Amino acid sequence: MIDTPIGKLMLIQSNKGLKQIIFEKKIPVFESQIELNENRLSFVKDEISLNKTIQQISEYFLRKRKKFQIKIDISMPPFYQQALSVVMKIPYGEVRSYKEVAQFTQNPNAYRAVGTANAKNLIPIIIPCHRVIANNGTLGGYGGDLKIKKYLLKMEGVI
């Protein structure tokens, strides 16, 4: 668990890397799922193994880090992985539209699928889906809450 300006974040790591970041309002639901499925889940909630991730997220919120160097563990359909790999390349302080991300995947009409990939992104902030906006310049949605998306974009100097 890490305290940030946008609230508490729960970090879940597998033996391959960071698997999930859970925003504060969703932590109670996740914790209840853990209790129900404790024997079937394979993850590490050990803060010692997450020190590097915690440090880099803290530096990001202090505006001392613009790129993350963290191992991640994502399990998604190939197109979603491809779309999120494009999203990971959006520089700090810049935005791209869903349509632009789709074009970078060589599937220019797949902008709705890009939106779905962003919605299913389990590692927000590290995979900066907050930097993806609608083609008309509006913010679109955000799994953590639109207020958090606005905060992150404002912190990065976008809005």
Side-chain angles (χ1 to χ4, degrees):
M1 202 82 72
I2 178 175
D3 286 313
T4 73
I6 58 171
K8 290 186 185 302
L9 300 176
M10 178 184 269
L11 309 177
I12 305 297
Q13 180 167 309
S14 74
N15 57 358
K16 294 179 186 175
L18 185 65
K19 192 155 186 69
Q20 195 167 359
I21 294 178
I22 303 157
F23 291 106
E24 185 169 9
K25 70 178 186 177
K26 296 181 180 177
I27 291 173
V29 173
F30 186 82
E31 287 179 329
S32 67
Q33 290 173 343
I34 290 173
E35 290 171 16
L36 293 173
N37 299 304
E38 210 160 47
N39 295 330
R40 288 182 268 156
L41 290 174
S42 171
F43 64 86
V44 178
K45 228 170 89 170
D46 178 8
E47 286 197 14
I48 293 170
S49 66
L50 290 170
N51 278 345
K52 182 178 179 182
T53 303
I54 291 168
Q55 178 185 352
Q56 289 189 29
I57 290 172
S58 296
E59 290 169 355
Y60 169 78
F61 282 109
L62 292 170
R63 296 180 177 100
K64 294 181 178 181
R65 176 169 294 277
K66 295 183 179 184
K67 281 186 165 185
F68 293 98
Q69 296 172 328
I70 296 169
K71 290 182 182 179
I72 60 172
D73 178 9
I74 55 175
S75 301
M76 300 179 93
F79 178 79
Y80 291 174
Q81 286 189 31
Q82 183 184 15
L84 292 180
S85 73
V86 171
V87 171
M88 284 185 77
K89 294 175 186 165
I90 301 171
Y92 180 99
E94 295 184 23
V95 293
R96 300 289 183 271
S97 70
Y98 296 100
K99 185 176 182 178
E100 288 173 308
V101 173
Q103 289 169 339
F104 278 109
T105 66
Q106 307 302 314
N107 292 288
N109 295 322
Y111 51 90
R112 288 180 194 241
V114 167
T116 302
N118 273 354
K120 293 182 180 287
N121 176 15
L122 296 178
I123 313 173
I125 302 169
I126 307 300
I127 301 176
C129 54
H130 62 277
R131 296 181 189 152
V132 183
I133 61 171
N135 200 39
N136 65 5
T138 59
L139 294 183
Y142 190 64
D145 189 286
L146 205 50
K147 287 180 187 175
I148 292 175
K149 183 172 186 169
K150 286 180 185 177
Y151 180 91
L152 295 173
L153 291 175
K154 187 174 183 180
M155 184 184 84
E156 292 186 15
V158 175
I159 56 174

